[in-house]
Amino acid sequence: MTLPDDAYRALEELVSKTGISNRSRIVADAVMMLRGQELEDNKFYAGSLVLIYDHSKGETVYAVTDAQHDFNDIVRGTTHIHLSEEKCVEITTVVGEGKRIKKLVSRLRKVSGVITVQTCLVVP
């Protein structure tokens, strides 16, 4: 398994902070946590997607914006925050069926320059 530098540093910080030296255990726990966030296709959800991305990489900003426009049936709004010269946080509010939200999240995760996409969704 290969991890991007940021993810590897985060893993090493977790090892240090938690005292769990078994990196495989930490990765397995993370996988299971993500699995617990799986959305059911036909359920209705409301919440947010939190993206961190490097806007200096290629067409990242355009690809993120294009995805939001292509999913305007579920995207309700966005908030953009500048973290540094290169990195930004974008919070995208969504309301809709799980299958549409999953497609948007998948598309965003494929964008070069996107570092992470985290979800915070509830069934209203």
Side-chain angles (χ1 to χ4, degrees), residues 51 53-69 80 82 85-88 90 107-108 111-114:
L51 290 78
Y53 62 87
D54 184 339
H55 83 268
S56 68
K57 288 194 175 183
E59 301 289 317
T60 302
V61 176
Y62 299 112
V64 167
T65 301
D66 285 346
Q68 291 167 345
H69 281 274
H80 183 90
H82 305 281
E85 290 291 322
E86 297 86 22
K87 292 186 180 164
C88 298
E90 192 139 305
R107 180 157 164 197
L108 291 169
V111 173
S112 175
V114 170

Side-chain angles (χ1 to χ4, degrees), residues 4-16:
D5 290 343
D6 288 346
Y8 179 77
R9 283 192 294 276
L11 176 62
E12 291 304 307
E13 285 178 29
L14 284 170
V15 167
S16 175

Side-chain angles (χ1 to χ4, degrees), residues 68-108:
Q68 291 167 345
H69 281 274
D70 289 347
F71 286 82
N72 68 4
D73 58 312
I74 62 170
V75 172
R76 296 294 180 258
T78 62
T79 300
H80 183 90
I81 302 165
H82 305 281
L83 294 176
S84 68
E85 290 291 322
E86 297 86 22
K87 292 186 180 164
C88 298
V89 172
E90 192 139 305
I91 302 164
T92 303
T93 307
V94 294
V95 176
E97 284 189 330
K99 64 183 164 192
R100 287 292 288 159
I101 295 171
K102 286 193 293 190
K103 286 180 182 178
L104 173 57
V105 169
S106 176
R107 180 157 164 197
L108 291 169

Side-chain angles (χ1 to χ4, degrees), residues 108-124:
L108 291 169
R109 284 187 172 141
K110 291 176 186 173
V111 173
S112 175
V114 170
I115 297 164
T116 187
V117 180
Q118 302 295 317
T119 62
C120 179
L121 299 162
V122 296
V123 176

